[in-house]
Amino acid sequence: MTEPLWWQKGVIYQVYPRSFNDSNGDGIGDLAGVTARLDYLVDLGIDAVWLSPIFPSPMADFGYDVADYCGIDPRFGTLADFDALRDAAHARGLKLLLDFVPNHSSSEHPWFLESRGSRASRKRDWYIWRDAAADGGPPNNWQSFFGGSAWQWDETSGQYYLHQFLKEQPELNWRNPDLRAAMLDAMRFWFERGVDGFRIDVLWLAIKHPDFPDNPANPEWRAGMQDIDRLLPVHSADQPEMAEIIAAMREVADGYPERVLIGEIYLPIPRLVAYYGETGNGVHLPFNFHLLDARWDAAALARLIADYEGALPADGWPNWVLGNHDKPRVASRVGPDQAPVAMMLLLTLRGTPTLYQGDELGIANVQIPPDRVRDPQALREPDTAFNRDEVRTPMPWDASAHAGFSTVEPWLPLNPDWATRNVMAQRDDPDSMLSFTRTLLQLRRTHPALSVGSWHAVSSDGAVLAYERRHGEERVLVALNLSDSPQTLALPDWAAALAPVLTTPGHDLRVEGTPLPLAPNQGILLA
Ligand code: GLC
């Protein structure tokens, strides 16, 4: 193997800028706030920070509606603040990743204002406009991810435009060469400014079937599921032309040393891995979200890991995600007792982990009082069980007013247990989730088997998930009890020489014997 690159060895940490740290007392996080907390991230032991969108935006979808791809929203600061953050990150050896949103812009973007101005506009074709159906209704049956039709009628120019999210997020037309060139220029703008890579928003949606046929009905749709799931996205997602667009993005990235492209892609494994590209011309990391909805069961997880490992192309580097700003918190999905086990899994599997802010404190979903709901998806589809605000609440830094996040009431409420579940309270407590996460991250640095080694299943019974990581002579064994009852693991012979080096908080590290006993919810790492 050639020397692993930083994004292969390293760990990515997602910052949701609105909720990380507020430096100017407006209740909203900002770039100077992130800069002020970089030492926390260094101490934690991560390698790269990915910032959710910080570009000028009307904030209809909290920055995923971009009104200028080459600027900074004044709520987050200025380009000078961005440069200061970049320099401070790089000075500490941290990489800095931005969020690139190619599928749609804001309806306030000057391009869209021009496009909607008239059918003859030079930028008309930069967006997706279609005539009404014969009955005057939308051109086809496509649905928005946020509920309702994906088409919005524009009275002035007498056509519908496509939006698979909010109507304030019109979709860009990647079949238009000028639009494509303008978007690739936006990527270059940030690469020139020293950005180390991009997470690319809803990448698998960026191009649609040229004829816009109806999507077929989903036979598995049931009441209670979201509108979008009524149909199978056969013609609105994951189209063959995607490969060529990604290759163009990759060519831009490859023009700079060691830049990384990470694609947001919610697809089954066989389709997901196609986004590595056939000849190294895909994204470096198609985000693997399969842990987000995996059944929390040893056999199911072992199968998932083996399926994913087995599906990767020869030079495809794996990656794993346990949480993000769109999905329920891991501590709520698996429960507080299993949250450390889940963290141990994330940080010991083979491949680049992405850690979502606050998961290192074990924060759970935060119930949001109805009058404080801000998530546009939840406001449009109030009946769906989950509201994204629940995982976007401010980082609790300490037990002072507003948790040290802000000097005023933050835009979303804090986690109710913020007075005790915060960075300051956990930092020096050896039994905290934060200390545990920090130690895991240190172990990844000191044990190449964990950061770059191969992965091998270890056979186990019942509720234990066990595997080996191996690099040269170094072998590490990870055993995770996914249940709340005691379990044992028959240790393989080669593991007899290993010693326990880390266990989940509150558990005894002095385990020995074979079979290896595991307390309820205990994870253990032998090296
Ligand atoms: C992605 C983002 C999500 C956003 C959507 C539309 O899924 O992660 O937050 O609402 O794209 O841009």
Side-chain angles (χ1 to χ4, degrees):
M1 184 179 175
T2 51
E3 182 55 28
L5 297 168
W6 67 265
W7 53 265
Q8 297 176 305
K9 287 184 295 209
V11 176
I12 300 168
Y13 183 95
Q14 180 187 357
V15 163
Y16 193 70
R18 253 186 116 77
S19 295
F20 197 62
N21 189 35
D22 171 16
S23 74
N24 64 352
D26 61 1
I28 294 172
D30 46 53
L31 293 180
V34 178
T35 307
R37 298 291 186 184
L38 284 179
D39 286 331
Y40 164 73
L41 298 176
V42 172
D43 181 57
L44 179 60
I46 56 95
D47 300 272
V49 177
W50 149 36
L51 299 174
S52 281
I54 52 173
F55 316 108
S57 166
M59 301 287 166
D61 192 20
F62 294 111
Y64 286 96
D65 46 326
V66 178
D68 171 4
Y69 285 97
C70 300
I72 301 291
D73 191 278
R75 275 160 283 212
F76 293 130
T78 61
L79 273 170
D81 293 325
F82 173 79
D83 290 345
L85 169 56
R86 172 205 58 204
D87 290 346
H90 287 167
R92 288 163 175 78
L94 297 176
K95 304 289 185 181
L96 188 59
L97 310 178
L98 292 186
D99 212 311
F100 185 56
V101 190
N103 180 65
H104 44 266
S105 75
S106 161
S107 53
E108 302 288 308
H109 195 297
W111 298 344
F112 187 70
L113 298 179
E114 195 179 330
S115 182
R116 96 184 307 175
S118 90
R119 290 205 198 187
S121 148
R122 276 189 310 125
K123 293 209 169 56
R124 185 66 171 178
D125 187 47
W126 284 34
Y127 291 84
I128 298 176
W129 294 97
R130 284 287 172 283
D131 289 335
D135 65 357
N140 69 22
N141 69 352
W142 295 2
Q143 298 280 302
S144 159
F145 280 83
F146 292 166
S149 169
W151 296 95
Q152 175 67 28
W153 176 249
D154 179 55
E155 198 56 58
T156 325
S157 62
Q159 279 189 313
Y160 281 93
Y161 66 84
L162 180 69
H163 65 89
Q164 296 191 76
F165 295 90
L166 299 173
K167 68 176 184 342
E168 291 83 2
Q169 294 167 295
E171 307 229 346
L172 293 160
N173 178 15
W174 277 81
R175 292 181 192 274
N176 180 295
D178 296 334
L179 172 277
R180 194 185 283 213
M183 291 300 280
L184 297 179
D185 276 348
M187 290 185 110
R188 283 190 199 97
F189 173 88
W190 292 109
F191 282 141
E192 293 289 338
R193 228 178 171 95
V195 161
D196 299 290
F198 289 102
R199 173 268 193 189
I200 311 177
D201 192 61
V202 296
L203 183 59
W204 84 112
L205 304 181
I207 196 156
K208 347 293 165 187
H209 191 291
D211 303 330
F212 296 86
D214 276 351
N215 276 328
N218 175 8
E220 275 157 35
W221 189 85
R222 301 279 171 277
M225 286 167 71
Q226 288 182 295
D227 264 7
I228 185 79
D229 297 318
R230 287 174 186 272
L231 303 174
L232 297 172
V234 176
H235 305 301
S236 52
D238 193 26
Q239 299 297 297
E241 296 92 328
M242 221 33 259
E244 183 222 329
I245 292 173
I246 296 172
M249 295 176 177
R250 177 67 183 257
E251 203 183 311
V252 172
D254 284 349
Y256 301 84
E258 295 197 19
R259 302 303 207 264
V260 67
L261 297 181
I262 307 172
E264 187 200 21
I265 300 159
Y266 284 94
L267 286 176
I269 288 172
R271 284 303 309 151
L272 175 65
V273 297
Y275 283 74
Y276 283 101
E278 279 178 5
T279 53
N281 57 356
V283 288
H284 301 88
L285 300 174
F287 254 149
N288 166 10
F289 294 128
H290 288 273
L291 281 180
L292 290 174
D293 50 15
R295 198 148 54 82
W296 210 249
D297 157 301
L301 289 178
R303 205 173 317 115
L304 164 63
I305 299 163
D307 285 353
Y308 178 63
E309 283 276 347
L312 288 168
D315 55 356
W317 186 255
N319 78 92
W320 296 92
V321 177
L322 213 50
N324 62 34
H325 63 296
D326 294 327
K327 297 291 175 184
R329 287 274 188 190
V330 60
S332 292
R333 279 190 340 260
V334 304
D337 297 336
Q338 277 288 310
V341 175
M343 185 63 83
M344 198 170 210
L345 176 70
L346 175 72
L347 297 181
T348 60
L349 282 172
R350 186 174 84 93
T352 309
T354 300
L355 191 60
Y356 180 49
Q357 79 176 44
D359 280 351
E360 75 274 29
L361 303 174
I363 294 176
N365 292 351
V366 177
Q367 288 315 306
I368 308 291
D371 62 327
R372 293 198 63 179
V373 171
R374 307 288 298 277
D375 174 15
Q377 178 171 24
L379 291 170
R380 282 174 59 110
E381 293 195 293
D383 294 341
T384 41
F386 169 68
N387 156 0
R388 299 183 300 175
D389 296 333
E390 295 172 31
V391 303
R392 297 176 175 183
T393 58
M395 262 302 266
W397 293 99
D398 55 43
S400 70
H402 311 299
F405 166 78
S406 179
T407 51
V408 300
E409 178 65 26
W411 74 287
L412 281 178
L414 291 157
N415 47 305
D417 50 357
W418 66 272
T420 50
R421 190 181 296 281
N422 62 57
V423 170
M424 213 46 164
Q426 292 200 10
R427 205 181 53 182
D428 301 319
D429 171 1
D431 261 341
S432 70
M433 183 72 176
L434 179 57
S435 299
F436 175 66
T437 306
R438 199 196 299 122
T439 308
L440 272 169
L441 289 165
Q442 277 161 7
L443 284 173
R444 284 181 62 93
R445 283 181 200 278
T446 47
H447 293 71
L450 286 175
S451 55
V452 296
S454 53
W455 179 92
H456 310 273
V458 167
S459 74
S460 57
D461 299 323
V464 179
L465 175 65
Y467 47 91
E468 176 195 357
R469 299 295 311 281
R470 193 194 303 162
H471 183 71
E473 298 291 291
E474 186 183 44
R475 302 177 87 163
V476 171
L477 184 129
V478 179
L480 305 172
N481 181 354
L482 298 184
S483 76
D484 56 7
S485 58
Q487 302 283 328
T488 58
L489 174 71
L491 282 181
D493 291 344
W494 61 263
L498 304 183
V501 296
L502 179 68
T503 186
T504 33
H507 291 123
D508 199 341
L509 191 56
R510 290 162 305 172
V511 286
E512 52 185 36
T514 185
L516 182 76
L518 286 158
N521 304 302
Q522 181 171 25
I524 188 149
L525 195 149
L526 311 180

